C-alpha cells in the first residue's frame, strides 16, 4: 500500500509533467488542480460577494501549479458579471530590496488606482506607509471597492514575523474590504511563525 508521501509525490509529478507539456496553457482550469482551483474560486467569490475580509495562504512544492491556479481563478473572477467593483494587486516579495518595502509598494499601487489614503509624514519611509495603510484598513471601508492583494514568494518576508503578522492582521477588521492571498513554497510557514490563536484566522490551501 502506498503511503501518503508516495501518493503526494505521484500527484505532484503527474501535475508537473502536464504543466510542462502545455507551456502555452490558457484553459480555465490548471491540469490536476481542478479541485484546488474550485476551492480557491469559491472562497474568493464568497469574500467578494459578501464583502468579507480574509487572509488565504497557498503553499506547496515549487512548480506544482500554485501561481497558475491563482491566475486561472482570477481569470474566472474577472469575467463574473455579478461581482461589484474590486481591485487586484500583485506584489512579488522576491523583487523587494527589503521586506518593509512591501508597504511602500502597496501604498503606491493603491494610489495609482486613485484609492485615497491619508499619508502623514515622509511617504518614502516604510514606517510612514505602514502606519498609513494600517489606519486606512482599520477604518470602515464598506463603501470602497474590495481590494485583493496577491503576494508571491511570501516566504521571502518570513524574516520579519511582525511584518507578516501586521499584514494578515489588517484583514481581521470587520469592514476593511481586504483580501490577502499569500503564495509560498514553505509548506508550514504560517504554522511555524504564528501562534494557533492567530493561525485559525488564516485559510490554508495545501497543494501536494
Amino acid at each position: 500500500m502506498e503511503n501518503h508521501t508516495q501518493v503526494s509525490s505521484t500527484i505532484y509529478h503527474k501535475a508537473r509533467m502536464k504543466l510542462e507539456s502545455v507551456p502555452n496553457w490558457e484553459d480555465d482550469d490548471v491540469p490536476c488542480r481542478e479541485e484546488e482551483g474550485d476551492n480557491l474560486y469559491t472562497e474568493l467569490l464568497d469574500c467578494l460577494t459578501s464583502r468579507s475580509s480574509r487572509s488565504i495562504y497557498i503553499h506547496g512544492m515549487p512548480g506544482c501549479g500554485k501561481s497558475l491556479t491563482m491566475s486561472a481563478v482570477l481569470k474566472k473572477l474577472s469575467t463574473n458579471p455579478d461581482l461589484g467593483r474590486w481591485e487586484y494587486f500583485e506584489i512579488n516579495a522576491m523583487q523587494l530590496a527589503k521586506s518593509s518595502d512591501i508597504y511602500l509598494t502597496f501604498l503606491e499601487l493603491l494610489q495609482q488606482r486613485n484609492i485615497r489614503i491619508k499619508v502623514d509624514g515622509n511617504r518614502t519611509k516604510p514606517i510612514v506607509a505602514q502606519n498609513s495603510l494600517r489606519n486606512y484598513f482599520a477604518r470602515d471601508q464598506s463603501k470602497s471597492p474590495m481590494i485583493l492583494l496577491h503576494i508571491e514568494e511570501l516566504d521571502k518576508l518570513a524574516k520579519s514575523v511582525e511584518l507578516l503578522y501586521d499584514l494578515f492582521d489588517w484583514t481581521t477588521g470587520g469592514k476593511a474590504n481586504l483580501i490577502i492571498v499569500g503564495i509560498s513554497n514553505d509548506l508550514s510557514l504560517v504554522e511555524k511563525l504564528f501562534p494557533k490563536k492567530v493561525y485559525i484566522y488564516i485559510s490554508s490551501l495545501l497543494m501536494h
Side-chain angles (χ1 to χ4, degrees):
M1 179 180 294
E2 292 182 303
N3 60 34
H4 176 73
T5 301
Q6 291 172 322
V7 172
S8 298
S9 179
T10 300
I11 295 175
Y12 166 73
H13 287 296
K14 284 183 178 179
R16 186 70 181 268
M17 289 176 65
K18 280 199 172 186
L19 290 173
E20 291 176 348
S21 69
V22 282
N24 296 317
W25 167 84
E26 294 181 351
D27 200 359
D28 288 338
D29 293 307
V30 178
C32 298
R33 292 301 176 200
E34 293 84 359
E35 181 178 353
E36 291 91 340
D38 287 343
N39 291 339
L40 181 59
Y41 176 79
T42 299
E43 187 159 10
L44 289 176
L45 182 64
D46 175 67
C47 291
L48 292 171
T49 54
S50 65
R51 299 180 67 81
S52 301
S53 298
R54 191 168 305 170
S55 293
I56 302 173
Y57 172 50
I58 304 174
H59 49 138
M61 292 181 286
C64 68
K66 300 182 295 297
S67 298
L68 277 178
T69 298
M70 181 67 181
S71 296
V73 167
L74 288 169
K75 179 181 177 182
K76 292 170 70 174
L77 288 171
S78 66
T79 57
N80 189 320
D82 298 325
L83 290 178
R85 183 188 168 195
W86 58 284
E87 299 285 350
Y88 168 75
F89 304 91
E90 179 179 349
I91 297 176
N92 190 322
M94 181 78 79
Q95 298 174 353
L96 301 173
K98 56 182 182 295
S99 297
S100 60
D101 284 348
I102 193 169
Y103 296 119
L104 295 171
T105 302
F106 190 27
L107 178 62
E108 181 179 359
L109 290 173
L110 289 169
Q111 292 177 328
Q112 288 174 357
R113 301 279 181 87
N114 295 318
I115 296 176
R116 297 180 179 179
I117 298 177
K118 183 180 180 181
V119 179
D120 293 320
N122 187 340
R123 62 181 61 240
T124 64
K125 292 185 177 181
I127 186 62
V128 172
Q130 177 186 8
N131 290 333
S132 300
L133 290 167
R134 184 190 295 119
N135 292 336
Y136 176 82
F137 290 115
R139 294 194 296 270
D140 184 353
Q141 301 299 335
S142 57
K143 295 183 179 180
S144 302
M146 289 293 297
I147 292 173
L148 172 53
L149 172 61
H150 165 198
I151 305 175
E152 279 285 340
E153 306 290 349
L154 184 69
D155 41 308
K156 302 306 177 186
L157 304 177
K159 292 182 179 179
S160 176
V161 179
E162 293 80 7
L163 184 149
L164 283 177
Y165 179 85
D166 189 44
L167 289 175
F168 286 131
D169 188 56
W170 293 348
T171 67
T172 61
K175 297 181 180 179
N177 278 12
L178 174 66
I179 306 166
I180 295 180
V181 178
I183 296 182
S184 169
N185 296 327
D186 190 326
L187 301 183
S188 57
L189 174 66
V190 174
E191 299 95 316
K192 288 188 296 187
L193 295 180
F194 293 150
K196 187 176 182 180
K197 65 180 181 179
V198 174
Y199 179 61
I200 61 176
Y201 295 106
I202 303 173
S203 298
S204 179
L205 175 61
L206 172 62
M207 291 191 180
H208 294 292

